[in-house]
Amino acid sequence: MRVTKLIIHLDKFRHNIKCVQERVGTHPLLCVPVKADAYGHGAVAIANTALSAGAACFAIARVEEGIQLRRAGITAPILFLSLASPQDLRRIAIYRLSPFVAEHQDISRLVYTASNIGVKISVHLKIDTGMGRIGCRPEDALNLARHIANSPALEYSGTATHLAVSDSQDPSDIQYTNHQLSIFADAVAAIRQAGIDPGIVHAANSGAVIQHPAAYQDMVRPGIVLYGYSPIPGFPVEPVMEMCSAIIFIKKVRAGESISYGRTWTAPEDTQIATIPVGYADGLPRLLSGKHRVLIKKKFYPLVGRICMDQCMVDLGPNTDIRRGEPVTIFGGDADSASVIADTLGTIPYEIICAIKKRVPRICIKNEGIRS
Ligand SMILES: *Cc1c(COP(=O)(O)O)cnc(C)c1O
């Protein structure tokens, strides 16, 4: 086993699912976003855990991510949170993925593919109510819904929108979300009034799960809260990802001697410096150089000097009893979480956890102490 690894606490993921289920109640289905390898955690282990905790379906952002789940034996519906490119069409049909559609062209292409291959393709109509990313204009939704409903090769499985500021508590953002939800409600009502069943109606991402019950509808799609980072303080989820390593070298350094590239740090006094085999090629941002602390034997020690491609250095202080081989927690667990790192760098935890590279093995823990 490599020294540097990610511990994936599936028991905490399960706990976070329970927090969401308690918040939304039993009616809405739970769709678990596992795009970007489940936000860096490992999609298959996360998906299997989610299924056993009551998830109804999954959401992905690349066709390959859906294929990976199908090959792992997952038969639950998989929502493809994007529009099909011509090169995606066959695989969408063969692997039974459910793409968004937002234009007549999306629908026509899928009809053609479904008829050619001889399968029915399930689609969700995506309405843009103010996110400005993908989706039809609200006034076009009814015509598109008709087109889907009149296409026997397609199954009209759902109607969705996405919220831009549901995770903000700023009053003007709350108002914006309510505005998006009311545009969405009107569009869905128009589809129903025309006698068309809009399928599963869904809008809620993490922020909406926490503070916009009106967004719950038939299904919720919270991602980041399930991985343990609440955009709104007080929601009791716990980070699932913990990054660990171990000291591979310790040396004495004299006052005035410098550490790492660029000589950005000089020892103010005689001290001992540890080297840890974690670097920016593992996904630890180089911008974090000199701005992070790691946990060793229940105490925090600062990173010093520049983070290198594969290694970084920690100041253990002059009188340490720490030895080579000692485990180090880089983030998560009892150390600072990915969300503290995100705050330090002025970004969001999503970016920190998605950045951890494939070269770092993911070790899943189902019950504290039992590894698989
Ligand atoms: C990523 C994504 C989500 C989940 O968002 P979180 O902020 O992680 O809760 C939900 N819906 C869509 C369309 C997404 O792209």
Side-chain angles (χ1 to χ4, degrees):
M1 179 48 60
R2 262 167 286 172
V3 171
T4 299
K5 56 194 179 247
L6 285 186
I7 309 288
I8 304 302
H9 294 274
L10 294 176
D11 46 347
K12 292 187 176 169
F13 182 68
R14 200 178 271 281
H15 160 83
N16 298 341
I17 288 186
K18 199 172 282 170
C19 289
V20 165
Q21 286 167 334
E22 278 169 14
R23 176 60 60 108
V24 302
T26 52
H27 170 67
L29 298 169
L30 175 62
C31 172
V32 176
V34 293
K35 58 194 182 192
D37 203 24
Y39 292 43
H41 293 69
V44 172
I46 288 289
N48 282 321
T49 306
L51 279 177
S52 71
C57 64
F58 300 101
I60 49 117
R62 299 283 182 266
V63 165
E64 293 72 22
E65 295 168 353
I67 295 175
Q68 185 194 15
L69 295 183
R70 289 289 181 242
R71 290 197 173 142
I74 285 166
T75 56
I78 298 175
L79 183 59
F80 176 32
L81 300 171
S82 189
L83 305 173
S85 306
Q87 56 270 39
D88 293 337
L89 292 165
R90 270 185 69 80
R91 292 179 297 167
I92 284 171
I94 291 166
Y95 290 95
R96 288 174 297 106
L97 309 180
S98 308
F100 278 149
V101 293
E103 288 189 307
H104 289 289
Q105 186 190 51
D106 296 319
I107 300 169
S108 307
R109 279 177 178 168
L110 288 163
V111 166
Y112 181 81
T113 307
S115 314
N116 247 336
I117 298 182
V119 295
K120 237 179 164 181
I121 297 177
S122 142
V123 302
H124 289 236
L125 176 60
K126 179 77 183 296
I127 306 173
D128 185 4
T129 58
M131 170 68 185
R133 195 165 63 180
I134 60 174
C136 67
R137 294 203 61 86
E139 59 271 25
D140 297 334
L142 176 55
N143 259 332
L144 291 159
R146 275 210 184 91
H147 188 171
I148 303 168
N150 292 334
S151 302
L154 303 185
E155 190 171 318
Y156 187 2
S157 300
T159 303
T161 195
H162 194 44
L163 303 168
V165 285
S166 66
D167 56 357
S168 163
Q169 291 180 296
D170 185 300
S172 70
D173 289 334
I174 302 266
Q175 200 185 351
Y176 189 83
T177 300
N178 289 335
H179 179 65
Q180 281 198 269
L181 290 172
S182 97
I183 293 172
F184 185 52
D186 290 348
V188 170
I191 293 169
R192 288 209 168 100
Q193 269 154 29
I196 301 167
D197 179 0
I200 295 167
V201 175
H202 51 110
N205 51 6
S206 294
V209 158
I210 298 173
Q211 62 173 3
H212 291 283
Y216 296 170
Q217 310 281 337
D218 302 325
M219 184 166 84
V220 296
R221 333 179 285 267
I224 198 74
V225 282
L226 294 181
Y227 299 103
Y229 309 92
S230 177
I232 293 155
F235 196 63
V237 290
E238 295 171 30
V240 175
M241 180 185 287
E242 175 179 3
M243 190 180 207
C244 298
S245 188
I247 294 173
I248 46 157
F249 183 61
I250 297 180
K251 63 179 172 294
K252 288 186 173 157
V253 165
R254 294 250 159 80
E257 291 178 342
S258 63
I259 295 298
S260 196
Y261 291 121
R263 308 190 58 213
T264 56
W265 189 83
T266 302
E269 56 175 348
D270 291 0
T271 188
Q272 298 200 51
I273 298 291
T275 302
I276 303 169
V278 179
Y280 59 79
D282 297 297
L284 190 69
R286 184 171 173 279
L287 289 172
L288 207 57
S289 298
K291 295 181 179 166
H292 186 57
R293 54 182 200 169
V294 299
L295 194 66
I296 307 169
K297 282 177 113 177
K298 300 189 172 171
K299 274 181 69 180
F300 283 105
Y301 298 90
L303 285 191
V304 292
R306 292 230 172 107
I307 293 172
C308 307
M309 187 182 291
D310 311 297
Q311 298 167 77
C312 60
M313 272 64 80
V314 173
D315 183 9
L316 299 176
N319 309 309
T320 184
D321 61 346
I322 292 170
R323 298 273 171 270
R324 191 170 162 160
E326 193 65 49
V328 179
T329 308
I330 311 296
F331 66 81
D334 294 324
D336 292 334
S337 81
S339 133
V340 173
I341 294 179
D343 287 345
T344 301
L345 297 180
T347 184
I348 50 176
Y350 302 69
E351 193 181 16
I352 305 301
I353 57 182
C354 287
I356 306 301
K357 298 294 198 303
K358 289 282 182 303
R359 92 202 285 221
V360 181
R362 273 71 172 161
I363 313 295
C364 291
I365 299 189
K366 286 189 179 140
N367 300 300
E368 214 45 63
I370 304 174
R371 297 185 176 204
S372 68

